Amino acid sequence: MTVAERAAAGGEPAVALEFSGHLDAEGIGLLWERAMRAARRAGRRVLVLDLSEVTLVDTAGAAFLTSLETAHGGKASLEGEREQFRALLDRVRAAGTKLPTPVKLPPLRIRDIAAAGGRAAANGIVFVGEAALALVRLPRNHRVLRWQDLLRYADQAGVRSLPLVVLLGFLIGLILAFQSAVPMRRFGADLYVANLVSISLLRELGPLLAAVILAGRTGSAFAAEIGTMKVNEEIDALVTMGLDPMTMLVLPRLIAAMLVMPVMTLVLNVAGLLGMTVVMMAFGFPLVTVTNQVVGAVTLTDLFEGLVKALCFGAVVAAIGCREGLGTGVGPRAVGLAATGAVVGGIVSTIVLDGVFALLIYRLGL
Amino acid sequence: MSEGHAEIQATDVAQRFGARTIFEHVSFTVAPGEVFVILGGSGCGKSTLMKQLIGLLAPSAGTIVVRGRTITGRDGEAGRQGMLREIGVMFQSGALFGSMTLLENVMLPLEMYTDLPPAGREAVARVKLGLVGLGDAAALMPAEISGGMAKRAGIARAMALDPPLLFLDEPSAGLDPITSAGLDRLILDLRRDLGATFVVVTHELASILAIADRCIMLDRAARGLIAEGDPRRLRDESDNPTVRAFFRREVLAPEAA
Ligand SMILES: Nc1ncnc2c1ncn2[C@@H]1O[C@H](COP(=O)(O)OP(=O)(O)OP(=O)(O)O)[C@@H](O)[C@H]1O
Ligand SMILES: [Mg+2]
């Protein structure tokens, strides 16, 4: 491409861009920036696009030429173009003229983020309320709740996660015991590692880790399943058949998660205690000593407190997964977003809820 | 009620998404036992209008009365709930439940609304699948069938309870002419045998002329109704350029598009 100053047909001053060869997607790639700059720099002068040496223009080339005219903004003319180029250009112009101006997203402000967070929390509360209502209406709607679904979700969420639960629990017990044994030994208190690990497992880590596993494995799966149904209009179909999605899709998942969470937590606790025992025995404590220490350290209240927490975490994680699924937007990315939202929302609200529990238990003096 | 005999009575219905108006001032009636077709170019709001008629989408303005029940406005909820038992819907995508076989899909409404024993439900569901030519695909999952089969299964499910009012969104799009003609036949047979009313969204010219008693045509540019009446008369007599282009497969002049 060469840029030449010359007079246009009417005698006005003009800037001519003289092209040669093929104006196709390949040919215009290297020209694009330079040509646009030249077109903009032409300013008030007429822009002449000289095509006399050009042998081929395809749709990409035509888009290039119309973009040059737009970039220039003023009067432009074609020179030396063949008949078929002009026809193509006219068609491309007609297709390109109605481009809508892109919608500008407003800048992200802290206030908006906080508002969005607040809305999400409010939606969550409303959702739990609706689920509770569905539960109240269940006797009237009992056909809509399919018990075989409930068993399937309990299997998927609980039984199939047991290997992971055992592995994670064992490793956490092992690591926790090992990490705390080294400093405690300096005070000659390494026997109390058993107290530390068993209390923190039963009261905190057991339910929390089980909830994280549930959010990662099951909450995301709930969101993706329901989200896919939403995208496929299956939810619409349910509604037009008079089948309440809350009862048919959400309740069995919620109940299943609440049933399996205490069991998962119990298994995780046992595996963690086992891991801790392995470390303690490696440090030279006999099994009887460790067992006695654990039995002396924990109370039944500790255990039940953990299990009740697990039940609540299960409900929250499953509810958030289902809500994200039902709230899925349109398009293929929406399902992925729903699944991500389910995991993040599930973990965050579990931890927040855990804080609430800590406060409550402290106040109640348990 | 003076219009008490209409299956559907829509008055001045509009739909806006944000600032974008899809259509407004749409009014029509559907008489009992008729095959009523909604026509129009892609994106003009046919599926949207159908979603309003079945109570999934609240119109931005206007009232809709279905079988004597008002389903719009503040008191529409009771009307919607009452209507659901009396309609069957086939969605544009089929919307079959992905975790159930075709047979289970058709059996689901029977399970929810009737006291049939399992064997009875299965027998009824098999008949419905047979009617749409899917008798030997009953045990397949929705992911294992073709797009046209999914549509036919969707029709079978919509008919499961023999509702007096059926909504079909593009039943014959993407089907070969023979299957498509078979579906037209099925619609006419059901209308004759059950006295059912059909609201059908379709583009297929052949199918429109074969089944439609009356049609309305929506247009994207006009944001509303541009024609109403017997499709054969619209084809022969309409002087609206878009209607003529549709029925005669003419290419619309650019300034009119
Ligand atoms: N939820 C929504 N939010 C925003 N716009 C929507 C929504 N649903 C539909 N639309 C818009 O409404 C218009 C009509 O859509 P609709 O699906 O009713 O078209 P249609 O006539 O059924 O087209 P087709 O023949 O291709 O199925 C489209 O322009 C679409 O972008
Ligand atoms: Mg549509």
Side-chain angles (χ1 to χ4, degrees), chain A residues 330, chain B residues 17 20 22 40-49 92 169-170 201 203 220:
Chain A
V330 284
Chain B
F17 289 114
R20 211 151 62 98
I22 307 297
S42 192
C44 69
K46 302 181 296 296
S47 298
T48 305
L49 179 61
Q92 192 164 359
D169 194 352
E170 308 213 4
V201 173
H203 294 296
R220 194 181 176 140

PDB file of all heavy atoms in Angstrom, chain A residues 330, chain B residues 17 20 22 40-49 92 169-170 201 203 220, ligand 1:
ATOM      1  N   VAL A 330     -29.332 -17.506  30.713  1.00  0.00           N
ATOM      2  CA  VAL A 330     -29.372 -18.204  29.437  1.00  0.00           C
ATOM      3  C   VAL A 330     -27.959 -18.374  28.902  1.00  0.00           C
ATOM      4  O   VAL A 330     -27.053 -17.663  29.292  1.00  0.00           O
ATOM      5  CB  VAL A 330     -30.239 -17.450  28.409  1.00  0.00           C
ATOM      6  CG1 VAL A 330     -31.695 -17.658  28.716  1.00  0.00           C
ATOM      7  CG2 VAL A 330     -29.898 -15.986  28.411  1.00  0.00           C
TER       8      VAL A 330
ATOM      9  N   PHE B  17     -38.801  -6.193  27.115  1.00  0.00           N
ATOM     10  CA  PHE B  17     -37.646  -6.644  27.895  1.00  0.00           C
ATOM     11  C   PHE B  17     -36.787  -5.419  28.098  1.00  0.00           C
ATOM     12  O   PHE B  17     -36.162  -4.946  27.150  1.00  0.00           O
ATOM     13  CB  PHE B  17     -36.864  -7.733  27.162  1.00  0.00           C
ATOM     14  CG  PHE B  17     -37.596  -9.047  27.102  1.00  0.00           C
ATOM     15  CD1 PHE B  17     -38.023  -9.558  25.894  1.00  0.00           C
ATOM     16  CD2 PHE B  17     -37.849  -9.768  28.249  1.00  0.00           C
ATOM     17  CE1 PHE B  17     -38.691 -10.763  25.837  1.00  0.00           C
ATOM     18  CE2 PHE B  17     -38.513 -10.970  28.206  1.00  0.00           C
ATOM     19  CZ  PHE B  17     -38.930 -11.470  27.000  1.00  0.00           C
ATOM     20  N   ARG B  20     -36.637  -2.597  25.444  1.00  0.00           N
ATOM     21  CA  ARG B  20     -36.938  -3.123  24.125  1.00  0.00           C
ATOM     22  C   ARG B  20     -38.369  -3.657  24.086  1.00  0.00           C
ATOM     23  O   ARG B  20     -38.725  -4.521  24.872  1.00  0.00           O
ATOM     24  CB  ARG B  20     -35.971  -4.267  23.803  1.00  0.00           C
ATOM     25  CG  ARG B  20     -35.650  -4.408  22.345  1.00  0.00           C
ATOM     26  CD  ARG B  20     -34.264  -4.997  22.188  1.00  0.00           C
ATOM     27  NE  ARG B  20     -34.196  -6.331  22.779  1.00  0.00           N
ATOM     28  CZ  ARG B  20     -34.317  -7.447  22.069  1.00  0.00           C
ATOM     29  NH1 ARG B  20     -34.508  -7.410  20.790  1.00  0.00           N
ATOM     30  NH2 ARG B  20     -34.233  -8.615  22.667  1.00  0.00           N
ATOM     31  N   ILE B  22     -40.953  -5.925  22.353  1.00  0.00           N
ATOM     32  CA  ILE B  22     -41.002  -7.010  21.374  1.00  0.00           C
ATOM     33  C   ILE B  22     -42.303  -6.899  20.581  1.00  0.00           C
ATOM     34  O   ILE B  22     -42.295  -6.956  19.362  1.00  0.00           O
ATOM     35  CB  ILE B  22     -40.915  -8.378  22.069  1.00  0.00           C
ATOM     36  CG1 ILE B  22     -39.700  -8.433  22.997  1.00  0.00           C
ATOM     37  CG2 ILE B  22     -40.857  -9.501  21.048  1.00  0.00           C
ATOM     38  CD1 ILE B  22     -38.381  -8.302  22.309  1.00  0.00           C
ATOM     39  N   GLY B  40     -44.790 -15.853  11.922  1.00  0.00           N
ATOM     40  CA  GLY B  40     -43.946 -14.671  11.980  1.00  0.00           C
ATOM     41  C   GLY B  40     -42.493 -15.040  11.793  1.00  0.00           C
ATOM     42  O   GLY B  40     -42.107 -16.187  11.978  1.00  0.00           O
ATOM     43  N   GLY B  41     -41.691 -14.049  11.438  1.00  0.00           N
ATOM     44  CA  GLY B  41     -40.275 -14.284  11.207  1.00  0.00           C
ATOM     45  C   GLY B  41     -39.562 -14.625  12.491  1.00  0.00           C
ATOM     46  O   GLY B  41     -40.094 -14.460  13.584  1.00  0.00           O
ATOM     47  N   SER B  42     -38.316 -15.095  12.353  1.00  0.00           N
ATOM     48  CA  SER B  42     -37.543 -15.490  13.523  1.00  0.00           C
ATOM     49  C   SER B  42     -37.318 -14.285  14.435  1.00  0.00           C
ATOM     50  O   SER B  42     -36.979 -13.209  13.963  1.00  0.00           O
ATOM     51  CB  SER B  42     -36.212 -16.062  13.057  1.00  0.00           C
ATOM     52  OG  SER B  42     -35.576 -16.681  14.113  1.00  0.00           O
ATOM     53  N   GLY B  43     -37.530 -14.465  15.730  1.00  0.00           N
ATOM     54  CA  GLY B  43     -37.254 -13.402  16.688  1.00  0.00           C
ATOM     55  C   GLY B  43     -38.368 -12.382  16.835  1.00  0.00           C
ATOM     56  O   GLY B  43     -38.187 -11.375  17.504  1.00  0.00           O
ATOM     57  N   CYS B  44     -39.551 -12.633  16.261  1.00  0.00           N
ATOM     58  CA  CYS B  44     -40.616 -11.634  16.352  1.00  0.00           C
ATOM     59  C   CYS B  44     -41.419 -11.807  17.636  1.00  0.00           C
ATOM     60  O   CYS B  44     -42.271 -10.977  17.936  1.00  0.00           O
ATOM     61  CB  CYS B  44     -41.533 -11.719  15.145  1.00  0.00           C
ATOM     62  SG  CYS B  44     -42.497 -13.225  15.133  1.00  0.00           S
ATOM     63  N   GLY B  45     -41.177 -12.873  18.395  1.00  0.00           N
ATOM     64  CA  GLY B  45     -41.851 -12.997  19.687  1.00  0.00           C
ATOM     65  C   GLY B  45     -42.913 -14.076  19.747  1.00  0.00           C
ATOM     66  O   GLY B  45     -43.755 -14.054  20.630  1.00  0.00           O
ATOM     67  N   LYS B  46     -42.868 -15.048  18.844  1.00  0.00           N
ATOM     68  CA  LYS B  46     -43.882 -16.109  18.862  1.00  0.00           C
ATOM     69  C   LYS B  46     -43.766 -16.946  20.125  1.00  0.00           C
ATOM     70  O   LYS B  46     -44.758 -17.197  20.819  1.00  0.00           O
ATOM     71  CB  LYS B  46     -43.720 -17.017  17.623  1.00  0.00           C
ATOM     72  CG  LYS B  46     -43.809 -16.289  16.319  1.00  0.00           C
ATOM     73  CD  LYS B  46     -43.678 -17.223  15.137  1.00  0.00           C
ATOM     74  CE  LYS B  46     -42.324 -17.912  15.058  1.00  0.00           C
ATOM     75  NZ  LYS B  46     -41.203 -16.979  14.845  1.00  0.00           N
ATOM     76  N   SER B  47     -42.548 -17.388  20.429  1.00  0.00           N
ATOM     77  CA  SER B  47     -42.370 -18.203  21.635  1.00  0.00           C
ATOM     78  C   SER B  47     -42.705 -17.384  22.869  1.00  0.00           C
ATOM     79  O   SER B  47     -43.272 -17.895  23.843  1.00  0.00           O
ATOM     80  CB  SER B  47     -40.930 -18.709  21.731  1.00  0.00           C
ATOM     81  OG  SER B  47     -40.619 -19.528  20.634  1.00  0.00           O
ATOM     82  N   THR B  48     -42.364 -16.094  22.836  1.00  0.00           N
ATOM     83  CA  THR B  48     -42.664 -15.220  23.970  1.00  0.00           C
ATOM     84  C   THR B  48     -44.172 -15.127  24.180  1.00  0.00           C
ATOM     85  O   THR B  48     -44.660 -15.248  25.312  1.00  0.00           O
ATOM     86  CB  THR B  48     -42.066 -13.830  23.699  1.00  0.00           C
ATOM     87  OG1 THR B  48     -40.683 -13.979  23.419  1.00  0.00           O
ATOM     88  CG2 THR B  48     -42.263 -12.910  24.874  1.00  0.00           C
ATOM     89  N   LEU B  49     -44.912 -14.943  23.084  1.00  0.00           N
ATOM     90  CA  LEU B  49     -46.373 -14.866  23.189  1.00  0.00           C
ATOM     91  C   LEU B  49     -46.931 -16.173  23.752  1.00  0.00           C
ATOM     92  O   LEU B  49     -47.812 -16.179  24.609  1.00  0.00           O
ATOM     93  CB  LEU B  49     -46.973 -14.572  21.809  1.00  0.00           C
ATOM     94  CG  LEU B  49     -48.487 -14.479  21.740  1.00  0.00           C
ATOM     95  CD1 LEU B  49     -48.989 -13.348  22.620  1.00  0.00           C
ATOM     96  CD2 LEU B  49     -48.958 -14.259  20.301  1.00  0.00           C
ATOM     97  N   GLN B  92     -40.304 -25.504  22.274  1.00  0.00           N
ATOM     98  CA  GLN B  92     -39.547 -25.500  21.022  1.00  0.00           C
ATOM     99  C   GLN B  92     -38.410 -26.516  21.053  1.00  0.00           C
ATOM    100  O   GLN B  92     -38.114 -27.164  20.065  1.00  0.00           O
ATOM    101  CB  GLN B  92     -39.007 -24.090  20.768  1.00  0.00           C
ATOM    102  CG  GLN B  92     -38.459 -23.899  19.373  1.00  0.00           C
ATOM    103  CD  GLN B  92     -38.283 -22.418  19.019  1.00  0.00           C
ATOM    104  OE1 GLN B  92     -38.572 -21.534  19.789  1.00  0.00           O
ATOM    105  NE2 GLN B  92     -37.806 -22.174  17.826  1.00  0.00           N
ATOM    106  N   ASP B 169     -44.968 -25.499  20.130  1.00  0.00           N
ATOM    107  CA  ASP B 169     -44.041 -24.503  19.585  1.00  0.00           C
ATOM    108  C   ASP B 169     -43.185 -25.166  18.513  1.00  0.00           C
ATOM    109  O   ASP B 169     -42.304 -25.961  18.824  1.00  0.00           O
ATOM    110  CB  ASP B 169     -43.170 -23.925  20.702  1.00  0.00           C
ATOM    111  CG  ASP B 169     -42.436 -22.663  20.260  1.00  0.00           C
ATOM    112  OD1 ASP B 169     -42.485 -22.341  19.052  1.00  0.00           O
ATOM    113  OD2 ASP B 169     -41.820 -22.005  21.114  1.00  0.00           O
ATOM    114  N   GLU B 170     -43.437 -24.825  17.278  1.00  0.00           N
ATOM    115  CA  GLU B 170     -42.711 -25.344  16.123  1.00  0.00           C
ATOM    116  C   GLU B 170     -42.607 -26.866  16.133  1.00  0.00           C
ATOM    117  O   GLU B 170     -41.515 -27.421  16.177  1.00  0.00           O
ATOM    118  CB  GLU B 170     -41.312 -24.732  16.060  1.00  0.00           C
ATOM    119  CG  GLU B 170     -41.397 -23.222  16.129  1.00  0.00           C
ATOM    120  CD  GLU B 170     -40.313 -22.519  15.338  1.00  0.00           C
ATOM    121  OE1 GLU B 170     -39.531 -23.208  14.667  1.00  0.00           O
ATOM    122  OE2 GLU B 170     -40.282 -21.285  15.378  1.00  0.00           O
ATOM    123  N   VAL B 201     -47.302 -22.797  16.944  1.00  0.00           N
ATOM    124  CA  VAL B 201     -46.349 -21.859  16.355  1.00  0.00           C
ATOM    125  C   VAL B 201     -45.629 -22.605  15.254  1.00  0.00           C
ATOM    126  O   VAL B 201     -45.125 -23.707  15.482  1.00  0.00           O
ATOM    127  CB  VAL B 201     -45.317 -21.398  17.405  1.00  0.00           C
ATOM    128  CG1 VAL B 201     -44.233 -20.572  16.742  1.00  0.00           C
ATOM    129  CG2 VAL B 201     -45.993 -20.616  18.503  1.00  0.00           C
ATOM    130  N   HIS B 203     -43.449 -22.262  11.147  1.00  0.00           N
ATOM    131  CA  HIS B 203     -42.998 -21.530   9.959  1.00  0.00           C
ATOM    132  C   HIS B 203     -43.352 -22.277   8.699  1.00  0.00           C
ATOM    133  O   HIS B 203     -43.216 -21.741   7.620  1.00  0.00           O
ATOM    134  CB  HIS B 203     -41.468 -21.467   9.916  1.00  0.00           C
ATOM    135  CG  HIS B 203     -40.837 -20.678  10.992  1.00  0.00           C
ATOM    136  ND1 HIS B 203     -41.027 -19.351  11.126  1.00  0.00           N
ATOM    137  CD2 HIS B 203     -39.992 -21.040  11.971  1.00  0.00           C
ATOM    138  CE1 HIS B 203     -40.318 -18.933  12.154  1.00  0.00           C
ATOM    139  NE2 HIS B 203     -39.702 -19.935  12.688  1.00  0.00           N
ATOM    140  N   ARG B 220     -41.658  -8.288  13.512  1.00  0.00           N
ATOM    141  CA  ARG B 220     -40.672  -7.677  14.374  1.00  0.00           C
ATOM    142  C   ARG B 220     -40.602  -6.172  14.162  1.00  0.00           C
ATOM    143  O   ARG B 220     -40.518  -5.400  15.118  1.00  0.00           O
ATOM    144  CB  ARG B 220     -39.333  -8.314  14.040  1.00  0.00           C
ATOM    145  CG  ARG B 220     -38.282  -8.048  15.027  1.00  0.00           C
ATOM    146  CD  ARG B 220     -37.011  -8.717  14.559  1.00  0.00           C
ATOM    147  NE  ARG B 220     -35.966  -8.359  15.490  1.00  0.00           N
ATOM    148  CZ  ARG B 220     -35.052  -9.186  15.906  1.00  0.00           C
ATOM    149  NH1 ARG B 220     -35.043 -10.417  15.483  1.00  0.00           N
ATOM    150  NH2 ARG B 220     -34.143  -8.796  16.746  1.00  0.00           N
TER     151      ARG B 220
HETATM  152  N1  LIG C   1     -35.780 -13.439  28.656  1.00  0.00           N
HETATM  153  C1  LIG C   1     -35.549 -12.563  27.658  1.00  0.00           C
HETATM  154  N2  LIG C   1     -34.881 -11.431  27.895  1.00  0.00           N
HETATM  155  C2  LIG C   1     -34.648 -10.532  26.906  1.00  0.00           C
HETATM  156  N3  LIG C   1     -35.052 -10.685  25.637  1.00  0.00           N
HETATM  157  C3  LIG C   1     -35.734 -11.806  25.332  1.00  0.00           C
HETATM  158  C4  LIG C   1     -36.017 -12.804  26.316  1.00  0.00           C
HETATM  159  N4  LIG C   1     -36.707 -13.810  25.723  1.00  0.00           N
HETATM  160  C5  LIG C   1     -36.841 -13.446  24.432  1.00  0.00           C
HETATM  161  N5  LIG C   1     -36.258 -12.254  24.189  1.00  0.00           N
HETATM  162  C6  LIG C   1     -36.237 -11.527  22.913  1.00  0.00           C
HETATM  163  O1  LIG C   1     -37.540 -11.524  22.405  1.00  0.00           O
HETATM  164  C7  LIG C   1     -37.521 -11.668  21.006  1.00  0.00           C
HETATM  165  C8  LIG C   1     -38.507 -12.732  20.604  1.00  0.00           C
HETATM  166  O2  LIG C   1     -38.056 -13.999  21.040  1.00  0.00           O
HETATM  167  P1  LIG C   1     -38.866 -15.318  20.745  1.00  0.00           P
HETATM  168  O3  LIG C   1     -38.102 -16.457  21.316  1.00  0.00           O
HETATM  169  O4  LIG C   1     -40.255 -15.137  21.193  1.00  0.00           O
HETATM  170  O5  LIG C   1     -38.812 -15.377  19.158  1.00  0.00           O
HETATM  171  P2  LIG C   1     -39.534 -16.388  18.164  1.00  0.00           P
HETATM  172  O6  LIG C   1     -40.509 -15.585  17.404  1.00  0.00           O
HETATM  173  O7  LIG C   1     -40.025 -17.574  18.902  1.00  0.00           O
HETATM  174  O8  LIG C   1     -38.337 -16.786  17.199  1.00  0.00           O
HETATM  175  P3  LIG C   1     -37.979 -18.228  16.560  1.00  0.00           P
HETATM  176  O9  LIG C   1     -38.859 -18.393  15.390  1.00  0.00           O
HETATM  177  O10 LIG C   1     -36.553 -18.057  16.151  1.00  0.00           O
HETATM  178  O11 LIG C   1     -38.189 -19.265  17.614  1.00  0.00           O
HETATM  179  C9  LIG C   1     -36.101 -11.973  20.602  1.00  0.00           C
HETATM  180  O12 LIG C   1     -35.588 -10.821  19.983  1.00  0.00           O
HETATM  181  C10 LIG C   1     -35.381 -12.232  21.894  1.00  0.00           C
HETATM  182  O13 LIG C   1     -34.106 -11.673  21.841  1.00  0.00           O
END
